[in-house]
Amino acid sequence: MNENVPQPKGWRALMKADWTRFVFVHFSLPPEALSPYTPLELDCRDGRAFISLVFFRFEGMRPAYLFSDKLGRLLFSPASNNWFLNVRTYVRGGAGPGIQFLVEWMDNPISLYLGPLLYGLPYRRGEFECTVPGPDNRFDLSVTDSQTKESLRVLLAAGTEAGKQVDPASLDGFLLEKYTAYTHHRGVSRYFNIRHPRWNVVPGAVQGIEGTLMGSRCPWFKHARFHSAHAAAGFRDVAMGPPHRLNRGLQEGFAARIVQAAPQFQ
């Protein structure tokens, strides 16, 4: 396996987890349609902003130190082992280029409260039905918002060849090779770093996207146009650094760009 992406000097992991069974579905849209809904400057390519829907399985969360790996997995098992759908865009912030989480659905009731508390993550409770791909590498992924009962279903067929690394300078690299994550919760902007090897992915063909979840929760989605899709096996022992608050001047600048119509930032 290729080596982990380097992190800033002095960086130290806070938590570890296994992230597996990834499906990425990427869309482009006009920057002006999305910019009111993120407190950060959008990172665009060829005049377009991008968002990605990312389904994956989150397992084995534990502290990066203090306990043995086995004991940490055991102690933190009630807050782990769940499906995720995160909706993210690509931004430039005080810690450099990265991803901004716009909204995330997950199905673990304990993590539902820990994520916003520790990292400012925009979690919502979801109910998932996700078919594990067989030899044909077909995915059937669905999530229903536990409060609104609106749902999203994605059908995707991925290639069966071995995954390949992407060129970091390419558009695929722009969409995948990001290791800084930004959040904004209750007026506080944060970032944290992630460490794992570079992505090995296979291209995917989306066979269907249906449901009202995205259109209701993400008003800008009506402007989005499908761009591409990928599947990936994911990684064991993904390291997550501690959250850092952005300085007050940056936060005030970001807050000035938030609009009341963006419920995920309330």
Side-chain angles (χ1 to χ4, degrees), residues 56-59 79-84 105-108 111:
F56 70 102
R57 183 74 181 168
F58 180 91
E59 299 176 328
S80 189
N81 305 328
N82 51 274
W83 282 97
F84 264 97
W105 284 269
M106 46 85 67
D107 60 2
N108 185 292
S111 287

Side-chain angles (χ1 to χ4, degrees), residues 7-259:
Q7 288 296 331
K9 185 177 180 180
W11 184 86
R12 186 180 185 186
L14 177 65
M15 305 295 293
K16 288 185 177 181
D18 303 332
W19 296 1
T20 61
R21 287 173 270 181
F22 275 84
V23 167
F24 300 85
V25 185
H26 310 290
F27 299 82
S28 67
L29 70 167
E32 60 270 20
L34 182 59
S35 60
Y37 296 90
T38 172
L40 300 172
E41 176 189 357
L42 291 171
D43 194 0
C44 300
R45 290 285 293 252
D46 301 323
R48 305 286 289 176
F50 286 85
I51 65 101
S52 298
L53 312 184
V54 186
F55 282 91
F56 70 102
R57 183 74 181 168
F58 180 91
E59 299 176 328
M61 185 174 72
R62 67 275 189 195
Y65 47 91
L66 296 180
F67 304 108
S68 68
D69 193 73
K70 183 177 181 179
L71 180 58
R73 287 176 182 267
L74 178 62
L75 292 174
F76 280 75
S77 59
S80 189
N81 305 328
N82 51 274
W83 282 97
F84 264 97
L85 167 62
N86 71 51
V87 181
R88 72 192 204 185
T89 189
Y90 301 86
V91 297
R92 292 184 175 274
I99 59 174
Q100 168 81 49
F101 292 114
L102 298 172
V103 60
E104 298 182 84
W105 284 269
M106 46 85 67
D107 60 2
N108 185 292
I110 297 177
S111 287
L112 185 69
Y113 295 100
L114 288 179
L117 179 64
L118 296 177
Y119 283 92
L121 292 162
Y123 283 175
R124 291 184 63 83
R125 181 78 180 271
E127 301 161 10
F128 287 78
E129 293 184 13
C130 299
T131 301
V132 177
D136 59 356
N137 223 19
R138 294 179 183 271
F139 296 79
D140 186 347
L141 309 166
S142 67
V143 57
T144 300
D145 188 287
S146 297
Q147 181 179 359
T148 68
K149 302 304 179 183
E150 294 171 308
S151 63
L152 170 72
R153 184 184 184 192
V154 175
L155 303 174
L156 180 136
T160 56
E161 67 272 22
K164 295 182 179 179
Q165 288 189 42
V166 299
D167 177 0
S170 68
L171 181 52
D172 284 346
F174 170 83
L175 295 170
L176 294 167
E177 292 293 321
K178 293 290 190 290
Y179 299 91
T180 300
Y182 292 94
T183 68
H184 189 88
H185 182 64
R186 295 184 177 179
V188 177
S189 295
R190 300 175 176 88
Y191 73 92
F192 61 97
N193 293 102
I194 300 163
R195 186 181 66 194
H196 59 65
R198 295 195 181 279
W199 286 101
N200 290 309
V201 299
V202 295
V206 173
Q207 299 178 323
I209 299 178
E210 58 187 33
T212 60
L213 181 63
M214 291 301 298
S216 173
R217 192 64 190 172
C218 303
W220 44 261
F221 192 70
K222 63 185 177 183
H223 302 285
R225 299 294 179 266
F226 172 74
H227 179 268
S228 60
H230 299 97
F235 306 101
R236 304 291 179 184
D237 300 325
V238 175
M240 296 161 282
H244 301 278
R245 288 195 179 200
L246 294 168
N247 69 52
R248 185 172 181 178
L250 288 170
Q251 285 189 194
E252 290 173 351
F254 298 157
R257 302 185 57 207
I258 301 172
V259 298

